[in-house]
Amino acid sequence: MGELNSGKKELLLITGSPRKNGVTNTLAAMVLEEAGLIYKNINVTTLDTYALALKPCTHCGYCKKKPACVHDDFLPVDAALQRADVLVIASPVYVLGFPAPLKALLDRSQQYFEAKFSLGITAIERHKKAVLLSAHGSKDDKGVCFMEEQLKLVFKAFNAELNASITAHNTDSGHIDFDALRGEIKTALTGIL
Ligand SMILES: Cc1cc2nc3c(=O)[nH]c(=O)nc-3n(C[C@H](O)[C@H](O)[C@H](O)COP(=O)(O)O)c2cc1C
């Protein structure tokens, strides 16, 4: 168990499902409930990537010359990433990967890679512990494996480490053990907060 009230922690939840009452957002709500129970002094920022509708990276080269993106729609994401201690990515599996709006956010991490490798700047100083929550329509693990690999790469730019990956499998069958998933979430957060 984390140290109760020993200092404010910033939790950033990034969601990638268009279905407000779908499996992904149900798991995301559980994370917020359980995090609040485990660690009282927590501040939450939620970014819904469908609402944000970030422009996709166009590989224009702007971030090779300046530590920024040519499009200013990423600024709220950057501000939230700068202050986060804990990062939760909640996403359904779409065609073995992230839905397009969330993938657009991940692609925009290119500006942080360019900051490092072209400009010699560390873009995000604060280290984050991270959790992937995923909703996987089928029984297999394929999509989640690809998503974890993508995150491991992006997390180098976000200064984050993937501490836990929790998946609701076989969601399209309609049989989802939410109690067991809540238990997994609780265990993962207890190890992080
Ligand atoms: C466009 C689209 C693509 C999908 N691709 C996959 C897939 O590749 N593998 C899979 O197991 N399920 C796939 N699914 C099923 C979703 O992962 C599943 O329904 C999930 O529970 C949706 O998350 P939500 O309940 O949060 O909306 C897909 C669903 C959609 C709408």
Side-chain angles (χ1 to χ4, degrees), residues 15-59:
T15 64
S17 173
R19 296 201 311 149
K20 295 283 169 230
N21 300 314
V23 179
T24 304
N25 284 318
T26 303
L27 297 181
M30 282 183 192
V31 161
L32 299 188
E33 283 165 23
E34 295 300 330
L37 292 172
I38 294 166
Y39 199 93
K40 300 292 173 203
N41 200 1
I42 201 158
N43 190 50
V44 175
T45 303
T46 301
L47 297 175
D48 170 357
T49 54
Y50 274 84
L52 272 176
L54 294 170
K55 292 188 177 71
C57 175
T58 56
H59 200 171

Side-chain angles (χ1 to χ4, degrees), residues 16-26 91-97 134-140 142-143 168 170-172 176:
S17 173
R19 296 201 311 149
K20 295 283 169 230
N21 300 314
V23 179
T24 304
N25 284 318
T26 303
S91 180
V93 176
Y94 279 9
V95 192
L96 301 181
S134 49
H136 204 296
S138 62
K139 277 185 193 160
D140 66 81
K142 255 192 204 163
N170 206 11
T171 58
D172 289 344
I176 305 159

